[in-house]
Amino acid sequence: MGLADDAQNKADDLKGRAKEATGAAIGDDDLKAEGQADQGLAAVREKATEVADKAKDGIDSVKDKLTGH
């Protein structure tokens, strides 16, 4: 929902990509899968943040209409 959340999601995605690449390079399927899971989790968090932001915008819009702003 904020800049810190966006930064954390991006960091988790990059960390996952690095794990996946490292796992693929050294033939460690567990590390590769862990990296893919990290990326998936970051993507889910990003979508949840987007949904929450849109909901907040919608609520704010309704409030503005009700209060006449």
Side-chain angles (χ1 to χ4, degrees):
M1 286 210 239
L3 189 57
D5 292 331
D6 290 342
Q8 184 63 48
N9 287 339
K10 182 54 90 174
D12 288 344
D13 181 61
L14 292 174
K15 180 176 74 170
R17 289 176 188 268
K19 282 184 184 179
E20 182 182 7
T22 301
I26 64 174
D28 186 338
D29 290 336
D30 290 337
L31 184 59
K32 184 177 173 183
E34 186 179 329
Q36 291 169 339
D38 288 348
Q39 291 174 64
L41 184 58
V44 167
R45 282 194 207 131
E46 177 64 29
K47 290 297 178 191
T49 298
E50 289 174 14
V51 168
D53 287 345
K54 285 184 181 185
K56 183 183 178 305
D57 290 345
I59 290 168
D60 289 344
S61 176
V62 170
K63 277 185 187 178
D64 289 346
K65 287 179 182 177
L66 291 174
T67 60
H69 292 126

